[in-house]
Coordinates of all heavy atoms in Angstrom, one line a residue:
M65 N 0.8 -1.2 -0.1 CA -0.1 0.0 0.0 C 1.0 1.2 0.0 O 1.8 1.3 0.8 CB -0.9 0.0 1.2 CG -1.8 1.1 1.4 SD -2.8 0.8 2.7 CE -3.8 2.2 2.7
A66 N 0.5 2.0 -1.0 CA 1.4 3.3 -1.0 C 1.1 4.3 0.0 O -0.2 4.5 0.4 CB 1.2 3.9 -2.4
C67 N 2.1 5.1 0.5 CA 1.8 6.1 1.5 C 1.3 7.4 0.8 O 1.8 7.7 -0.3 CB 3.1 6.5 2.3 SG 3.4 5.2 3.5
M68 N 0.5 8.2 1.5 CA 0.0 9.4 0.9 C 0.9 10.5 1.4 O 1.3 10.6 2.5 CB -1.3 9.7 1.5 CG -2.1 11.0 0.9 SD -3.6 11.3 1.6 CE -4.6 10.1 0.9
S69 N 1.4 11.3 0.4 CA 2.4 12.4 0.7 C 1.6 13.5 1.5 O 0.4 13.5 1.4 CB 3.0 12.9 -0.7 OG 2.0 13.6 -1.2
N70 N 2.5 14.4 2.1 CA 1.7 15.5 2.8 C 0.9 16.3 1.7 O -0.1 16.8 2.1 CB 2.8 16.3 3.5 CG 3.2 15.7 4.8 OD1 2.7 14.8 5.2 ND2 4.5 16.2 5.3
E71 N 1.4 16.6 0.7 CA 0.7 17.3 -0.3 C -0.5 16.6 -0.9 O -1.5 17.3 -1.0 CB 1.8 17.5 -1.6 CG 1.1 18.4 -2.8 CD 2.1 18.8 -3.9 OE1 3.2 18.9 -3.5 OE2 1.6 18.8 -5.0
D72 N -0.5 15.3 -1.1 CA -1.7 14.6 -1.4 C -2.7 14.6 -0.3 O -4.0 14.9 -0.5 CB -1.4 13.1 -1.7 CG -0.6 12.9 -2.9 OD1 -0.6 13.9 -3.8 OD2 0.0 11.9 -3.1
G73 N -2.3 14.6 1.0 CA -3.2 14.7 2.2 C -3.8 16.1 2.2 O -5.0 16.3 2.5
A74 N -3.0 17.1 1.9 CA -3.5 18.4 2.0 C -4.5 18.7 0.9 O -5.6 19.4 1.1 CB -2.4 19.5 1.8
R75 N -4.2 18.2 -0.3 CA -5.2 18.3 -1.4 C -6.6 17.5 -1.1 O -7.7 18.1 -1.4 CB -4.6 17.8 -2.8 CG -5.7 17.6 -3.8 CD -5.1 18.2 -5.2 NE -4.3 19.2 -5.2 CZ -4.5 20.5 -5.4 NH1 -5.8 21.0 -5.4 NH2 -3.6 21.4 -5.5
A76 N -6.4 16.4 -0.5 CA -7.7 15.6 -0.1 C -8.5 16.4 0.9 O -9.7 16.5 0.8 CB -7.3 14.3 0.4
E77 N -7.7 17.1 1.9 CA -8.4 17.8 2.9 C -9.0 19.0 2.3 O -10.2 19.3 2.6 CB -7.6 18.2 4.0 CG -8.2 18.9 5.2 CD -7.2 19.1 6.4 OE1 -6.1 18.6 6.4 OE2 -7.8 19.6 7.3
L78 N -8.4 19.7 1.5 CA -9.0 20.8 0.8 C -10.3 20.5 -0.1 O -11.2 21.1 -0.1 CB -7.9 21.4 -0.3 CG -8.3 22.7 -0.8 CD1 -8.5 23.9 0.1 CD2 -7.2 23.1 -1.8
E79 N -10.3 19.3 -0.8 CA -11.4 18.8 -1.5 C -12.6 18.6 -0.6 O -13.7 18.8 -0.8 CB -11.1 17.6 -2.4 CG -10.1 18.0 -3.5 CD -9.7 16.7 -4.2 OE1 -10.1 15.6 -3.9 OE2 -8.8 16.8 -5.1
E80 N -12.3 17.9 0.6 CA -13.3 17.5 1.6 C -14.0 19.0 2.1 O -15.1 19.0 2.2 CB -12.8 16.9 2.9 CG -12.5 15.4 2.5 CD -11.8 14.8 3.6 OE1 -11.9 15.3 4.9 OE2 -11.1 13.7 3.4
W81 N -13.2 20.0 2.4 CA -13.6 21.3 2.8 C -14.5 21.9 1.7 O -15.5 22.5 2.0 CB -12.5 22.2 3.3 CG -12.2 22.0 4.7 CD1 -11.1 21.3 5.2 CD2 -13.0 22.3 5.9 NE1 -11.1 21.1 6.5 CE2 -12.2 21.8 6.9 CE3 -14.2 23.0 6.2 CZ2 -12.8 22.0 8.4 CZ3 -14.6 23.2 7.4 CH2 -13.8 22.6 8.4
S82 N -14.0 22.0 0.6 CA -14.7 22.4 -0.6 C -16.1 21.8 -0.8 O -17.1 22.5 -1.1 CB -14.0 22.3 -2.0 OG -14.6 22.9 -2.9
E83 N -16.2 20.5 -0.6 CA -17.5 19.7 -0.8 C -18.3 20.1 0.5 O -19.6 20.4 0.2 CB -17.3 18.2 -0.7 CG -16.7 17.8 -2.0 CD -16.4 16.4 -1.9 OE1 -16.9 15.6 -1.0 OE2 -15.4 15.8 -2.7
F84 N -17.8 20.3 1.6 CA -18.6 20.6 2.8 C -19.2 22.1 2.5 O -20.3 22.4 2.8 CB -17.7 20.7 4.1 CG -18.5 21.1 5.3 CD1 -19.4 20.4 5.9 CD2 -18.1 22.4 5.7 CE1 -20.1 20.9 6.9 CE2 -18.7 22.9 6.8 CZ -19.7 22.1 7.5
I85 N -18.4 23.0 2.1 CA -18.9 24.4 1.9 C -19.8 24.5 0.7 O -20.9 25.2 0.9 CB -17.7 25.3 1.7 CG1 -16.9 25.5 2.9 CG2 -18.2 26.6 1.1 CD1 -15.6 26.3 2.8
G86 N -19.6 23.6 -0.3 CA -20.7 23.5 -1.2 C -22.1 23.0 -0.9 O -23.1 23.3 -1.4
R87 N -22.0 22.2 0.2 CA -23.4 21.7 0.7 C -24.1 22.7 1.6 O -25.2 22.3 1.9 CB -23.0 20.3 1.6 CG -22.6 19.2 0.6 CD -22.7 17.9 1.3 NE -22.0 17.9 2.6 CZ -20.8 17.3 2.7 NH1 -20.2 16.8 1.6 NH2 -20.3 17.3 3.9
I88 N -23.5 23.7 2.1 CA -24.1 24.8 2.9 C -25.1 25.3 2.2 O -25.0 25.8 1.0 CB -23.1 25.8 3.5 CG1 -22.1 25.2 4.3 CG2 -23.9 26.8 4.1 CD1 -20.9 26.0 4.7
R89 N -26.4 25.3 2.7 CA -27.7 25.8 1.9 C -27.8 27.3 2.0 O -27.7 27.9 3.0 CB -28.8 25.1 2.5 CG -30.1 25.3 1.8 CD -31.3 24.6 2.5 NE -32.5 25.0 2.0 CZ -33.0 24.4 0.9 NH1 -32.5 23.4 0.3 NH2 -34.2 24.9 0.5
Y90 N -27.8 27.8 0.8 CA -28.2 29.1 0.5 C -29.1 29.2 -0.7 O -28.7 28.8 -1.8 CB -27.0 30.0 0.4 CG -27.4 31.4 0.0 CD1 -28.1 32.3 0.9 CD2 -27.3 32.0 -1.3 CE1 -28.6 33.6 0.5 CE2 -27.6 33.3 -1.7 CZ -28.3 34.0 -0.7 OH -28.8 35.3 -1.1
D91 N -30.4 29.6 -0.5 CA -31.4 29.5 -1.6 C -31.3 30.7 -2.5 O -32.1 30.8 -3.4 CB -32.8 29.5 -1.0 CG -32.9 28.2 -0.1 OD1 -32.3 27.2 -0.6 OD2 -33.8 28.3 0.8
G92 N -30.4 31.7 -2.4 CA -30.4 32.8 -3.2 C -31.2 34.0 -2.6 O -32.0 33.8 -1.8
P93 N -31.0 35.1 -3.2 CA -31.8 36.3 -2.8 C -33.2 36.2 -3.2 O -33.6 35.6 -4.2 CB -31.1 37.4 -3.3 CG -30.4 36.9 -4.5 CD -30.1 35.5 -4.2
R94 N -34.1 36.7 -2.4 CA -35.5 36.9 -2.8 C -35.7 38.0 -3.9 O -34.7 38.8 -4.0 CB -36.3 37.3 -1.5 CG -36.4 36.2 -0.5 CD -37.2 36.5 0.7 NE -36.9 37.9 1.2 CZ -37.3 38.3 2.4 NH1 -38.1 37.6 3.2 NH2 -37.0 39.4 2.8
P95 N -36.7 38.1 -4.5 CA -36.9 39.2 -5.6 C -36.4 40.5 -5.1 O -35.8 41.3 -6.0 CB -38.3 39.0 -6.0 CG -38.7 37.7 -5.6 CD -37.8 37.3 -4.4
G96 N -36.8 41.1 -4.0 CA -36.5 42.4 -3.5 C -35.0 42.6 -3.0 O -34.6 43.7 -2.6
D97 N -34.3 41.4 -2.9 CA -33.0 41.4 -2.3 C -31.9 41.1 -3.3 O -30.8 40.5 -2.9 CB -32.9 40.5 -1.2 CG -33.9 40.7 -0.1 OD1 -34.4 41.9 0.1 OD2 -34.4 39.7 0.5
A98 N -32.2 41.4 -4.5 CA -31.1 41.1 -5.6 C -29.7 41.6 -5.5 O -28.8 41.0 -5.8 CB -31.7 41.6 -6.9
G99 N -29.5 42.7 -4.6 CA -28.2 43.3 -4.4 C -27.4 42.6 -3.4 O -26.2 42.9 -3.1
D100 N -27.9 41.5 -2.7 CA -27.2 40.9 -1.6 C -26.0 40.3 -2.0 O -24.9 40.3 -1.3 CB -28.2 39.9 -0.9 CG -29.1 40.5 0.0 OD1 -29.3 41.8 0.0 OD2 -30.0 39.7 0.7
E101 N -26.1 39.6 -3.3 CA -24.9 38.9 -3.7 C -23.7 39.9 -4.0 O -22.5 39.6 -3.7 CB -25.1 37.9 -4.8 CG -26.0 36.8 -4.5 CD -26.4 35.9 -5.6 OE1 -26.3 36.3 -6.8 OE2 -26.9 34.7 -5.4
R102 N -24.0 41.0 -4.5 CA -23.1 42.1 -4.8 C -22.6 42.6 -3.4 O -21.4 42.7 -3.3 CB -23.6 43.2 -5.7 CG -22.6 44.2 -6.0 CD -23.2 45.3 -6.9 NE -24.5 45.4 -7.2 CZ -25.5 45.9 -6.4 NH1 -25.0 46.6 -5.3 NH2 -26.7 46.1 -6.8
S103 N -23.5 42.9 -2.5 CA -23.1 43.3 -1.3 C -22.1 42.4 -0.5 O -21.1 42.6 0.2 CB -24.3 43.5 -0.2 OG -25.0 44.6 -0.8
A104 N -22.5 41.0 -0.6 CA -21.7 40.0 0.0 C -20.3 40.0 -0.6 O -19.1 39.9 0.0 CB -22.3 38.7 0.0
D105 N -20.2 40.1 -2.0 CA -19.0 40.0 -2.6 C -18.0 41.2 -2.2 O -16.9 41.0 -1.9 CB -19.2 39.9 -4.1 CG -17.8 39.9 -4.9 OD1 -17.1 38.9 -4.7 OD2 -17.5 40.8 -5.8
E106 N -18.7 42.4 -2.1 CA -18.0 43.5 -1.7 C -17.4 43.6 -0.2 O -16.3 44.0 0.1 CB -18.8 44.8 -1.9 CG -18.9 45.2 -3.3 CD -20.0 46.3 -3.5 OE1 -20.4 47.0 -2.6 OE2 -20.4 46.6 -4.7
A107 N -18.3 43.0 0.6 CA -17.8 43.0 2.0 C -16.8 41.9 2.2 O -15.8 42.2 3.0 CB -19.2 42.5 2.8
V108 N -16.9 40.7 1.6 CA -15.8 39.7 1.7 C -14.5 40.2 1.1 O -13.4 40.0 1.6 CB -16.3 38.4 1.0 CG1 -15.1 37.5 1.0 CG2 -17.5 37.9 1.9
S109 N -14.7 41.0 0.0 CA -13.4 41.5 -0.8 C -12.7 42.5 0.2 O -11.5 42.5 0.3 CB -13.7 42.2 -2.1 OG -14.2 41.1 -3.0
N110 N -13.5 43.4 0.8 CA -12.9 44.4 1.8 C -12.3 43.7 2.9 O -11.2 43.9 3.3 CB -14.0 45.3 2.2 CG -14.4 46.4 1.1 OD1 -13.7 46.5 0.1 ND2 -15.6 46.8 1.3
E111 N -12.9 42.6 3.5 CA -12.5 42.0 4.7 C -11.1 41.1 4.3 O -10.1 41.2 5.0 CB -13.5 41.1 5.3 CG -13.0 40.3 6.5 CD -12.7 41.2 7.7 OE1 -13.2 42.3 7.8 OE2 -11.9 40.9 8.5
F112 N -11.3 40.6 3.2 CA -10.1 39.6 2.7 C -8.9 40.3 2.4 O -7.9 40.0 2.8 CB -10.6 38.8 1.7 CG -9.8 37.6 1.3 CD1 -9.8 36.5 2.2 CD2 -8.9 37.5 0.3 CE1 -9.1 35.3 1.9 CE2 -8.1 36.3 0.1 CZ -8.3 35.3 0.9
S113 N -9.1 41.5 1.8 CA -7.9 42.3 1.4 C -7.3 43.0 2.7 O -6.1 43.2 2.6 CB -8.4 43.5 0.5 OG -9.3 44.3 1.1
S114 N -8.0 43.3 3.7 CA -7.5 43.8 4.9 C -6.6 42.9 5.6 O -5.8 43.2 6.5 CB -8.6 44.2 5.9 OG -9.3 43.2 6.5
W115 N -6.5 41.6 5.3 CA -5.7 40.6 6.0 C -4.3 40.6 5.4 O -3.4 40.1 6.0 CB -6.2 39.1 5.7 CG -7.5 38.9 6.3 CD1 -8.3 39.7 7.2 CD2 -8.4 37.8 6.2 NE1 -9.5 39.1 7.7 CE2 -9.6 38.0 6.9 CE3 -8.2 36.7 5.4 CZ2 -10.5 37.1 7.0 CZ3 -9.3 35.7 5.4 CH2 -10.4 35.9 6.3
G116 N -4.1 41.4 4.3 CA -2.8 41.3 3.7 C -2.6 40.1 2.9 O -3.4 39.3 2.6
R117 N -1.3 39.9 2.6 CA -0.9 38.7 1.8 C -1.1 37.4 2.7 O -0.5 37.4 3.7 CB 0.7 39.0 1.4 CG 1.1 37.8 0.6 CD 2.5 38.2 0.1 NE 3.1 36.9 -0.4 CZ 3.7 36.0 0.4 NH1 4.0 36.3 1.6 NH2 4.2 34.8 -0.2
L118 N -1.8 36.5 2.1 CA -1.9 35.2 2.7 C -1.1 34.2 1.9 O -0.8 34.2 0.8 CB -3.3 34.8 2.6 CG -4.4 35.7 3.4 CD1 -5.8 35.2 3.2 CD2 -4.1 35.8 4.8
D119 N -0.4 33.3 2.7 CA 0.5 32.3 2.2 C -0.3 31.1 1.7 O 0.4 30.3 1.2 CB 1.4 31.9 3.2 CG 2.4 33.0 3.7 OD1 2.7 33.9 2.8 OD2 2.9 33.0 4.8
G120 N -1.6 31.0 1.8 CA -2.3 29.9 1.3 C -2.3 29.7 -0.2 O -2.1 30.7 -0.9
S121 N -2.8 28.6 -0.8 CA -3.0 28.5 -2.1 C -4.1 29.3 -2.6 O -5.0 29.8 -1.7 CB -3.0 27.1 -2.4 OG -4.3 26.6 -2.0
A122 N -4.3 29.5 -3.9 CA -5.4 30.2 -4.6 C -6.6 29.4 -4.1 O -7.6 30.0 -3.9 CB -5.1 30.2 -6.0
E123 N -6.5 28.1 -4.2 CA -7.7 27.2 -3.8 C -8.2 27.4 -2.4 O -9.4 27.6 -2.2 CB -7.4 25.8 -4.1 CG -7.3 25.4 -5.5 CD -5.7 25.1 -5.9 OE1 -4.9 25.6 -5.0 OE2 -5.5 24.7 -6.9
M124 N -7.2 27.6 -1.6 CA -7.5 27.7 -0.1 C -8.2 29.1 0.1 O -9.2 29.3 0.8 CB -6.3 27.6 0.8 CG -6.6 27.9 2.2 SD -7.9 26.8 2.9 CE -7.0 25.4 3.2
N125 N -7.5 30.1 -0.6 CA -8.2 31.5 -0.5 C -9.4 31.7 -1.1 O -10.3 32.3 -0.5 CB -7.2 32.5 -1.1 CG -5.8 32.7 -0.4 OD1 -5.9 32.3 0.7 ND2 -4.8 33.1 -1.1
N126 N -9.8 31.0 -2.1 CA -11.2 30.9 -2.8 C -12.1 30.2 -1.9 O -13.2 30.7 -1.7 CB -11.0 30.2 -4.2 CG -12.4 30.2 -4.7 OD1 -13.0 31.1 -4.9 ND2 -12.8 29.1 -5.2
L127 N -11.7 29.3 -1.2 CA -12.5 28.5 -0.2 C -13.0 29.3 0.9 O -14.1 29.4 1.3 CB -11.8 27.3 0.2 CG -12.5 26.1 1.0 CD1 -13.5 25.6 0.0 CD2 -11.5 25.1 1.5
I128 N -12.0 30.1 1.4 CA -12.2 31.1 2.6 C -13.3 32.1 2.1 O -14.1 32.4 2.8 CB -11.0 31.6 3.1 CG1 -10.1 30.5 3.8 CG2 -11.3 32.7 4.1 CD1 -8.7 31.1 4.0
C129 N -13.0 32.6 0.9 CA -14.0 33.6 0.5 C -15.4 33.0 0.2 O -16.3 33.7 0.6 CB -13.4 34.2 -0.9 SG -12.1 35.4 -0.6
R130 N -15.5 31.9 -0.3 CA -16.7 31.2 -0.6 C -17.5 31.0 0.7 O -18.8 31.4 0.9 CB -16.7 29.9 -1.2 CG -16.4 30.0 -2.7 CD -16.2 28.7 -3.4 NE -17.3 27.6 -3.1 CZ -16.9 26.4 -2.9 NH1 -15.7 25.9 -3.2 NH2 -17.6 25.5 -2.4
A131 N -16.8 30.6 1.8 CA -17.4 30.3 3.0 C -17.9 31.6 3.8 O -19.0 31.7 4.3 CB -16.5 29.6 4.0
M132 N -17.1 32.8 3.6 CA -17.4 34.0 4.2 C -18.7 34.6 3.5 O -19.5 35.1 4.0 CB -16.2 34.9 4.1 CG -15.1 34.6 5.1 SD -13.6 35.6 4.8 CE -14.2 37.2 5.0
E133 N -18.6 34.4 2.2 CA -19.9 35.0 1.4 C -21.0 34.2 1.7 O -22.1 35.0 1.9 CB -19.6 34.7 -0.2 CG -18.6 35.8 -0.8 CD -18.3 35.5 -2.1 OE1 -18.7 34.5 -2.7 OE2 -17.6 36.2 -2.8
I134 N -21.1 33.0 1.9 CA -22.3 32.2 2.3 C -22.8 32.8 3.8 O -23.9 32.9 4.0 CB -22.1 30.8 2.3 CG1 -21.9 30.3 0.9 CG2 -23.2 30.1 3.0 CD1 -21.5 28.9 0.8
G135 N -21.7 33.0 4.7 CA -22.1 33.4 6.0 C -22.8 34.7 6.0 O -23.7 35.0 6.7
Y136 N -22.2 35.7 5.1 CA -22.7 36.9 5.0 C -24.1 37.0 4.4 O -25.1 37.6 5.0 CB -21.8 37.8 4.2 CG -22.1 39.3 4.2 CD1 -21.6 40.2 5.0 CD2 -22.9 39.8 3.1 CE1 -21.8 41.6 5.0 CE2 -23.3 41.2 3.0 CZ -22.7 42.0 4.0 OH -23.0 43.3 3.9
L137 N -24.2 36.1 3.4 CA -25.7 36.1 2.7 C -26.6 35.5 3.7 O -27.8 36.0 3.8 CB -25.6 35.3 1.4 CG -24.8 36.0 0.3 CD1 -24.6 35.0 -0.7 CD2 -25.7 37.1 -0.2
R138 N -26.3 34.5 4.4 CA -27.3 34.0 5.4 C -27.6 34.9 6.5 O -28.7 35.0 6.9 CB -26.7 32.6 5.9 CG -26.7 31.5 4.8 CD -26.4 30.2 5.4 NE -27.3 29.7 6.1 CZ -27.4 28.5 6.6 NH1 -26.6 27.6 6.1 NH2 -28.3 28.0 7.4
A139 N -26.6 35.7 7.0 CA -26.8 36.6 8.1 C -27.7 37.8 7.5 O -28.7 38.1 8.2 CB -25.5 37.3 8.5
L140 N -27.5 38.2 6.3 CA -28.5 39.2 5.8 C -29.9 38.7 5.6 O -30.9 39.3 6.1 CB -28.0 39.6 4.3 CG -26.9 40.6 4.2 CD1 -26.4 40.7 2.6 CD2 -27.2 41.9 4.7
K141 N -30.1 37.4 5.4 CA -31.4 36.8 5.2 C -32.0 36.8 6.8 O -33.1 37.0 6.8 CB -31.3 35.4 4.7 CG -32.6 34.7 4.4 CD -32.4 33.5 3.7 CE -33.7 32.6 3.7 NZ -33.6 31.4 3.0
D142 N -31.2 36.5 7.6 CA -31.7 36.2 9.1 C -32.1 37.7 9.6 O -33.2 37.8 10.2 CB -30.7 35.8 10.1 CG -30.4 34.2 9.8 OD1 -31.4 33.6 9.1 OD2 -29.4 33.7 10.3
V143 N -31.5 38.7 9.2 CA -31.7 40.0 9.6 C -33.0 40.4 8.9 O -33.9 40.9 9.7 CB -30.6 41.1 9.2 CG1 -31.1 42.5 9.4 CG2 -29.4 40.8 10.1
R144 N -33.2 40.3 7.7 CA -34.5 40.7 7.1 C -35.7 39.9 7.5 O -36.8 40.4 7.6 CB -34.3 40.4 5.5 CG -33.4 41.4 4.9 CD -33.7 41.5 3.4 NE -32.9 42.5 2.9 CZ -31.6 42.5 2.4 NH1 -31.1 41.3 2.4 NH2 -31.0 43.6 1.8
E145 N -35.4 38.6 8.0 CA -36.5 37.9 8.4 C -36.7 38.0 9.9 O -37.5 37.2 10.5 CB -36.4 36.3 8.0 CG -36.5 36.2 6.3 CD -36.1 34.7 5.9 OE1 -35.9 33.8 6.8 OE2 -36.1 34.6 4.8
Q146 N -36.1 38.9 10.4 CA -36.0 39.3 11.9 C -35.9 38.0 12.8 O -36.6 37.8 13.8 CB -37.4 40.0 12.2 CG -37.5 41.2 11.4 CD -38.8 41.9 11.8 OE1 -39.6 41.6 12.6 NE2 -39.2 43.1 11.0
R147 N -35.0 37.2 12.5 CA -34.6 35.9 13.2 C -33.5 36.2 14.3 O -33.0 35.2 14.8 CB -34.3 34.9 12.4 CG -35.6 34.3 11.6 CD -35.2 33.0 10.8 NE -34.5 33.4 9.7 CZ -34.1 32.4 8.8 NH1 -34.5 31.1 8.9 NH2 -33.4 32.8 7.8
I148 N -33.2 37.5 14.6 CA -32.1 37.7 15.4 C -32.8 38.5 16.7 O -33.5 39.5 16.5 CB -31.1 38.7 14.8 CG1 -30.5 37.9 13.6 CG2 -30.1 39.1 15.9 CD1 -29.5 38.7 12.8
A149 N -32.7 37.9 17.8 CA -33.3 38.2 18.9 C -33.0 39.8 19.4 O -31.9 40.1 19.2 CB -33.1 37.4 20.2
R150 N -34.0 40.5 19.7 CA -33.8 41.9 20.1 C -33.2 42.8 19.1 O -32.8 44.0 19.5 CB -33.0 42.0 21.4 CG -33.6 41.2 22.6 CD -32.8 41.5 23.8 NE -31.3 40.8 23.7 CZ -31.0 39.5 23.9 NH1 -31.9 38.7 24.2 NH2 -29.9 39.2 23.8
L151 N -33.3 42.5 17.8 CA -32.9 43.3 16.8 C -33.9 44.4 16.5 O -33.6 45.5 16.1 CB -32.5 42.5 15.4 CG -31.9 43.4 14.3 CD1 -30.6 43.9 14.8 CD2 -31.7 42.4 13.2
G152 N -35.1 44.1 16.5 CA -36.2 45.0 16.1 C -36.5 44.9 14.7 O -35.7 44.4 13.9
P153 N -37.3 45.9 14.2 CA -37.6 46.0 12.8 C -36.5 46.5 11.9 O -35.8 47.3 12.5 CB -38.8 47.0 12.8 CG -39.4 47.1 14.2 CD -38.3 46.7 15.0
T154 N -36.4 45.9 10.9 CA -35.2 46.4 10.0 C -35.7 47.0 8.6 O -34.9 47.3 7.8 CB -34.4 45.0 9.5 OG1 -35.2 44.2 8.9 CG2 -33.8 44.5 10.8
G155 N -36.9 47.1 8.4 CA -37.4 47.6 7.1 C -37.8 49.2 7.2 O -37.7 49.9 7.8

């Protein structure tokens, strides 16, 4: 049986995380919230760029951005649907 190299192990782990993030459910914006995806992209770009140079691979950096975008989009949806305790009306 052949041993898995560190690089092969890292690639397999990256693929597992990518699949996991891909399974996170986001149904897309509602008709009145079409700008959410643009807002999420801008917010994540601003946050990610503030971190400076990252030593991770392009795949890893993309994975981090995808996960952050999904989190931001889901948070916007929760705020709009008033699912955050004590937040009050948002409209």
Side-chain angles (χ1 to χ4, degrees):
M65 181 173 177
C67 286
M68 185 181 288
S69 72
N70 285 341
E71 187 174 317
D72 290 340
R75 173 133 329 264
E77 187 172 356
L78 185 64
E79 287 174 11
E80 287 176 20
W81 275 105
S82 183
E83 288 175 20
F84 174 74
I85 290 170
R87 287 193 306 262
I88 296 173
R89 185 177 172 89
Y90 173 67
D91 296 328
R94 295 182 308 194
D97 304 331
D100 283 1
E101 289 178 347
R102 184 175 11 87
S103 295
D105 183 57
E106 289 174 8
V108 170
S109 294
N110 288 336
E111 181 64 29
F112 200 72
S113 67
S114 73
W115 295 350
R117 183 177 163 268
L118 298 178
D119 293 332
S121 66
E123 292 101 349
M124 178 59 81
N125 292 343
N126 183 47
L127 194 65
I128 292 168
C129 284
R130 282 180 40 216
M132 289 172 59
E133 285 174 353
I134 291 169
Y136 188 89
L137 289 165
R138 291 184 68 164
L140 283 174
K141 184 177 178 181
D142 286 347
V143 167
R144 284 204 176 89
E145 294 175 1
Q146 299 180 6
R147 290 191 284 189
I148 299 175
R150 297 183 301 274
L151 184 63
T154 60

